[in-house]
Structures are given as C-alpha cells and as structure tokens.
Amino acid sequence: MEKHLIALQLSHLLGEEYDREWVYNLLETPKQSDHGDIAFPCFQLSKILRKSPAAIAEELASRLKHETIEKVQTAGGYLNIFLNQTFIAEHTLKQILSEKSSYGSNTNGKNKTVVLDMSAPNIAKPFSMGHLRSTVIGNALANLAEKSGYTTVKINYIGDYGTQFGKLLAAYKRWGKEELVKADPLTELTRIYVQFHNEAKEDPRLIGEGREWFKKLENQDEEAVKLWKWFKEESLEEFENIYRLLGVSFDLTRGEAYYNDKMEETIQLLIEKDLLTESEGAQVVRLDEEGMPPCLIKKSNGTSIYATRDLTAAVDRYQNYQFDEALYVVGHEQSLHFQQVKHVLSKMGFTWADSVKHISFGMMLQGGKKMSTRQGKTVLLKQALEEAVAQAQSNIEAKNPSLNNKEETTKQVGVGAVIFHDLKHDRRNDVEFSLDDMLTFEGNTAPYLQYAYVRTCSILNKGTFELKNAAASLNDEDAWPLIKQLRLFPETVKQAYSSYDPSKLAKYLLDTAKSFNQYYASKRILAEDHLNQRLTLIFCFSIVLKEGLSLLGIETPEEM
C-alpha cells in the first residue's frame, strides 16, 4: 500500500511524464533493514535528466514528505525511504481489528462474474494426483476471486465422453466381470482399460473395436448407453467422497455428454459463417492466419471431438452466466487446444472470446516422468490423502495423545499438507509427487503454518485476550517486520488473483509465519508490560493467517 502512495508522490515530484506505474515498477524492497523499507534507484532518471543518480536522489529526498514516511536518506544513487513505524502499525492493526476476516478484500471484481472450469476428472478412472492440481488451483482461484468481489461459478466438467469410452466399453465386453466392477468399480475399470492399451500394441484390431463402441454410444445403442451410465454413476460417487475430504464443492457438475444434442447448433453456425472446411474426410476450421493447425470439428467417421463440445459449452456458459472471465484450469499440454477454441469462437463472431483464458499448470510427475492411467503409471489421490492423514495421526499420537477432536484435527493436518504441497509451487511448474516432502511437518508446509496458528491460540488463551480490550497502538521495533507482512496481505490477494497464481499467497503466508516466529522468539510475550499491545498484534496475525489458509482451501485447527 505504501509503495503505491510513494510511487504517486514521486510521480508528482518528477512530473507528469513519469506516471505512477512507471515509478512503482522501479521501487525495490531493500534486503538490509538499515537501507530503509523502500528504495528508489535513480539510475534510469540519470540518463534522461543528464544528472548524476546521487544528485537526483538528494533533490528528491529534500522534497519527499508524507505522513507515512519517517525519514529519507540517500546512498549511492538510491533514495532510501524509512516508513513511520508507529503510524503504520496503528493504522494496520486498527484496520484488521475493524475488518477481521474481511481484511484483504477488494472490489476489483464488483458486479463481475467469473466462471471456472476446474477438476474435470474422467469417469471410470480413479481420481489421480494429476487431477489434484486442477482441483486445488481452481478452488483457490475461486476463493481469491470471491475475496476480490467477483461472483464465481465453479463448474466440474466431467470427462464422460470421447473415444476413450469406446475403448473402455470394448475392454469391458472382452474382459470385464460385473461382480468385480460392483466390488471395486474404479480399480477394476482401470485394470481393463490398461489391459486394452497393452494388448492393442500387439493387436491393432482392438483400436477399431474401440471406435465401433464409441460410434454405438453416439448412436444411443441401448447396451452401450446402459454400461456407460453405470460406469458414470459409480465414478461420481467415488469422486464425491474425495471432494468432501478436500473441502471442495461445485456450483455445477456437468459432463461432456450433456452437449451431445447441442453440438449441431454449433456446427450449423460454423457452416453459416463459412468456417468449416473438409480435410481428408474430416470437418475442420482452418487457422492458417493464426499460425496454428486446423481445429478438428468432426472426424472422418462422423463422430464429434472435444473441441466441438468445448465450443458448445463455452457458448452455453456465456448465455447462462454472461461471464466477464471464463477460466479453464487445465494442464499446459492442452495449450494449443484452448488457443484454437478461443480463435474459433472469435471467428464465429463472439466478442467475449477474449474473456476465455487457459490457466495452465505443470504436470504432476513421478520419478521425473508424467503419470499415465493407460500405462498403469499413476498415484491415486485417495491413497495419498489416506496416507497423509495416517501420518498426521501418527505424529499427533506421539506428541499430543490426549488431544481433543483428534480425528478432525488429523484430517485437517493431513489434507492440508497435500493441498499446500501443490499450491506452494508456481502453477506453471511441474511438481514431483513425493509423500515424504508432502508429509514433512516442518519447513515450508501446511503443518508448519497450522502450528503457527495453534501457537497464537495458545498465547491468546494464556494471556486471556479479549477483543474489547484490544490496543492498536504499538511502539515496538521488533514487531516491525511482522507489521510490514500483515500490511502486505491485501496487495498479495490482488496479485495472486491477477496472476492466477495461488503460490504467491502460499509464499506470503510462509514469510509472514516466519516473521511471527522470529517475533515470538525475541519477546517474552506474556510479560506484564505492554501485554495487551503484543496480544493485539498476535490476534491480528492469527486473523490474517487463518484467512490466508482458508483462501487456499486449508483448515486451521486450534490445537495440534
């Protein structure tokens, strides 16, 4: 917040040709505290103004004044700005005490709607660690959007259609047993799906069988539809158990198959716009001008493809929600697909096509390699969550066997560990699946943050803190690093959403918790002198930490 104010002040001093954004982008945060809280390098100005950086810094230092500034110094062409700690501490604590869990909210999305396409597992396949990424990134972005004033619509676009279901139907007809599927649906269906791909390497005729069964499904063949519906019901029940454990819910769960009878309207519009071209018997939209391969709309055998369904779904969503943003939280391997969809929508004349955004993310790797259901190389999310909760229970039993609400706490800690392990990484990077890293209860993990929150609860209880007695005035130099972190929370929320990257918030929370732990180690918190001021600071930290974790989809136990 102060950086924006100082950027505005410096912009006024320098003249209208140096706008606030230009100045803001030059501001730095010094690594050493004796260099101030904010630094402005004058080297770029030196070339423009034909003065030495030191001379420019001296001139600005003599004129820069604001109630948030304690003093200004110059050093080596830098303007070093020291903020008024007492003023800012009081202002920050009063704001948090007044707004509580609303602290950090903004109105950037007021009267706007964002639709999020997220999670989207495939039926008849176990919920793998690969789908965890879309689920937790999408959920965190939805929470950040709501914190920014948007109306959100979370859509779980289930993969319940496509050629893979023809392969599954063919596999079931060859090797499936009804009693085994009923006993453990997803395990058995995955087994025969993997078997299909393994045997197809030796017997290519199987691929033809898969295509035939998908053709039957598209033509509403009674047996194909009956089996497909059965597979879908069993899958959705299993998925729902996992969503409950993750604490994730949706405004709409809808499969690709929903658009089967609506795609013809999309195809007719493409024909009307003279966009469809025949290519080797298939129907495509050419994207030569965009430097892309053609977007396939209908295969040569007449069956549809997911691009057709995605085009139809996008139009349907805009008609229903009039969205300002449509975010597709899908792995980066689908980047070309979403670029094609966006360009085709634009060619169709939809002015809102630019609002469609692909929020790509890296892969979940195992041993440095991509997980694959068809090759039988995947880690089941359910298994990972169960092991995380079991590890949490083991740790708690060893350290605090008499803990109240033990079952609920172990779930919060174990599930939180899995979610945070994903979200602490920049979403664009690949993430190596590692239960050991995920379940480490020290370091850059959710349990580390949860324990910091538990510590605040203990301190506030021992100090008998009461909100009505909160004291926002604080003159404590040791508290300054923590105050500065608390001050950054609203800006961090904005940045995390505007960049569609929850890792910015995750990293902020780790830095803020470290500042708290350093303050805790430097002070006798429960000493009588100025006790209420210290407890107020810790209470405000607890509000920010709990709200920040909640935005990431992580719960905070009060005991561990």
Side-chain angles (χ1 to χ4, degrees):
M1 190 178 296
E2 277 63 47
K3 283 179 75 172
H4 287 286
L5 289 171
I6 287 166
L8 181 61
Q9 295 292 315
L10 288 170
S11 174
H12 284 319
L13 294 176
L14 291 167
E16 61 183 21
E17 63 267 35
Y18 304 97
D19 63 41
R20 179 172 64 175
E21 186 175 352
W22 184 83
V23 175
Y24 181 85
N25 289 331
L26 286 179
L27 293 176
E28 300 174 2
T29 301
K31 292 180 181 179
Q32 296 173 296
S33 58
D34 59 350
H35 290 170
D37 300 301
I38 299 170
F40 180 64
C42 299
F43 305 102
Q44 285 195 37
L45 286 170
S46 176
K47 297 174 184 176
I48 301 168
L49 300 178
R50 300 180 183 277
K51 294 182 183 179
S52 72
I56 296 170
E58 288 290 345
E59 184 179 340
L60 289 173
S62 66
R63 299 171 62 198
L64 183 61
K65 291 177 173 56
H66 193 268
E67 61 184 350
T68 60
I69 298 173
E70 182 70 33
K71 62 180 178 179
V72 182
Q73 295 178 346
T74 61
Y78 276 87
L79 193 67
N80 292 334
I81 301 159
F82 294 78
L83 297 174
N84 184 326
Q85 296 183 12
T86 303
F87 176 86
I88 289 173
E90 184 172 347
H91 187 274
T92 302
L93 297 180
K94 278 184 176 177
Q95 188 176 357
I96 297 172
L97 289 169
S98 170
E99 298 177 12
K100 299 183 182 64
S101 62
S102 296
Y103 179 64
S105 300
N106 64 77
T107 57
N108 288 353
K110 187 177 180 181
N111 299 323
K112 294 179 181 178
T113 297
V114 56
V115 171
L116 298 102
D117 183 314
M118 52 181 278
S119 194
N122 295 316
I123 68 164
K125 294 182 184 179
F127 203 126
S128 74
M129 290 299 296
H131 284 289
L132 171 72
R133 301 221 68 196
S134 176
T135 305
V136 299
I137 292 170
N139 191 55
L141 289 177
N143 292 338
L144 287 163
E146 289 174 7
K147 189 80 171 173
S148 301
Y150 287 89
T151 297
T152 61
V153 182
K154 293 188 288 183
I155 299 176
N156 192 5
Y157 190 43
I158 299 289
D160 67 349
Y161 216 66
T163 54
Q164 71 266 35
F165 295 102
K167 296 172 184 177
L168 182 63
L169 289 167
Y172 180 77
K173 290 299 293 181
R174 274 183 172 254
W175 308 295
K177 291 184 172 60
E178 183 178 351
E179 62 274 15
L180 293 179
V181 174
K182 284 183 175 178
D184 192 351
L186 298 189
T187 300
E188 179 60 14
L189 291 173
T190 301
R191 185 190 68 76
I192 62 173
Y193 185 74
V194 170
Q195 184 177 351
F196 180 92
H197 281 278
N198 287 337
E199 299 209 11
K201 294 173 186 175
E202 305 297 326
D203 185 0
R205 290 176 301 174
L206 283 172
I207 301 299
E209 283 185 32
R211 290 197 189 102
E212 282 303 311
W213 273 102
F214 181 54
K215 184 77 171 174
K216 286 183 179 183
L217 185 59
E218 288 224 298
N219 292 335
Q220 295 292 298
D221 174 84
E222 186 178 348
E223 184 183 15
V225 171
K226 184 179 179 181
L227 287 172
W228 171 76
K229 284 183 176 178
W230 177 39
F231 298 162
K232 183 174 179 178
E233 288 166 5
E234 296 287 355
S235 301
L236 291 176
E237 188 175 336
E238 185 73 13
F239 295 158
E240 190 54 40
N241 292 334
I242 291 171
Y243 291 132
R244 274 196 295 268
L245 195 55
L246 288 171
V248 174
S249 61
F250 300 93
D251 300 294
L252 179 67
T253 296
R254 178 168 284 171
E256 292 182 58
Y258 174 82
Y259 295 104
N260 280 353
D261 61 353
K262 299 171 178 59
M263 286 187 291
E264 196 54 41
E265 190 175 332
T266 302
I267 293 169
Q268 285 304 313
L269 184 55
L270 290 168
I271 293 170
E272 288 171 20
K273 297 282 184 179
D274 198 25
L275 293 172
L276 272 190
T277 305
E278 187 171 317
S279 174
E280 298 179 11
Q283 297 290 311
V284 303
V285 176
R286 302 199 67 85
L287 296 172
D288 300 353
E289 293 176 7
E290 290 77 15
M292 293 180 191
C295 181
L296 181 59
I297 301 298
K298 254 189 178 180
K299 293 182 180 180
S300 56
N301 66 358
T303 58
S304 63
I305 192 167
Y306 55 91
T308 324
R309 290 188 286 278
D310 274 351
L311 290 167
T312 308
V315 174
D316 180 63
R317 289 171 189 178
Y318 189 79
Q319 288 173 345
N320 281 291
Y321 303 112
Q322 300 290 303
F323 56 73
D324 297 275
E325 290 184 325
L327 308 184
Y328 288 79
V329 188
V330 183
H332 62 59
E333 62 270 24
Q334 294 295 324
S335 292
L336 174 61
H337 165 73
F338 283 107
Q339 288 178 45
Q340 289 177 314
V341 166
K342 187 169 182 171
H343 282 298
V344 173
L345 287 169
S346 183
K347 283 177 175 288
M348 292 170 77
F350 295 116
T351 55
W352 46 263
D354 282 342
S355 303
V356 172
K357 299 176 183 179
H358 176 208
I359 310 303
S360 65
F361 54 83
M363 293 182 288
M364 185 71 77
L365 305 177
Q366 188 176 22
K369 296 181 180 178
K370 180 183 177 182
M371 297 178 181
S372 171
T373 304
R374 69 178 60 180
Q375 295 174 23
K377 296 177 181 177
T378 188
V379 175
L380 306 188
L381 176 58
K382 182 180 178 182
Q383 175 189 349
L385 290 171
E386 287 173 350
E387 290 192 35
V389 172
Q391 180 67 49
Q393 184 173 2
S394 176
N395 286 2
I396 288 171
E397 288 285 1
K399 295 177 181 177
N400 191 2
S402 59
L403 176 70
N404 294 321
N405 300 318
K406 196 180 300 182
E407 185 178 342
E408 179 67 14
T409 301
T410 55
K411 188 195 85 168
Q412 291 172 331
V413 173
V415 173
V418 174
I419 294 173
F420 192 81
H421 176 75
D422 189 305
L423 295 181
K424 71 180 180 181
H425 295 92
D426 185 306
R427 65 170 167 82
R428 294 164 296 188
N429 295 339
D430 293 340
V431 177
E432 179 69 30
F433 172 77
S434 168
L435 273 175
D436 289 338
D437 289 347
M438 212 174 276
L439 302 176
T440 298
F441 286 77
E442 296 176 0
N444 297 338
T445 65
Y448 169 79
L449 296 173
Q450 289 168 321
Y451 186 70
Y453 181 77
V454 167
R455 179 173 275 171
T456 67
C457 294
S458 175
I459 293 168
L460 294 170
N461 284 333
K462 288 178 181 175
T464 61
F465 174 75
E466 292 185 31
L467 186 55
K468 64 182 180 182
N469 297 324
S473 58
L474 182 69
N475 187 8
D476 184 348
E477 197 169 317
D478 291 332
W480 182 234
L482 180 54
I483 289 289
K484 285 198 291 184
Q485 282 298 123
L486 298 181
R487 189 78 167 160
L488 285 173
F489 184 56
E491 188 64 26
T492 303
V493 169
K494 288 180 183 177
Q495 290 177 357
Y497 184 71
S498 65
S499 61
Y500 308 114
D501 187 7
S503 74
K504 293 187 185 301
L505 176 57
K507 290 166 186 171
Y508 162 83
L509 293 176
L510 288 170
D511 289 341
T512 306
K514 285 170 186 171
S515 293
F516 162 72
N517 284 327
Q518 288 165 359
Y519 180 70
Y520 177 81
S522 72
K523 290 285 182 184
R524 290 177 59 242
I525 302 293
L526 297 176
E528 285 299 321
D529 59 310
H530 307 297
L531 172 61
N532 230 26
Q533 285 91 335
R534 289 192 296 277
L535 291 178
T536 300
L537 171 63
I538 289 168
F539 175 72
C540 289
F541 163 69
S542 74
I543 288 175
V544 169
L545 182 58
K546 182 173 184 174
E547 179 63 10
L549 284 170
S550 177
L551 290 172
L552 296 179
I554 298 169
E555 297 180 348
T556 42
E558 296 189 359
E559 291 183 276
M560 275 172 72

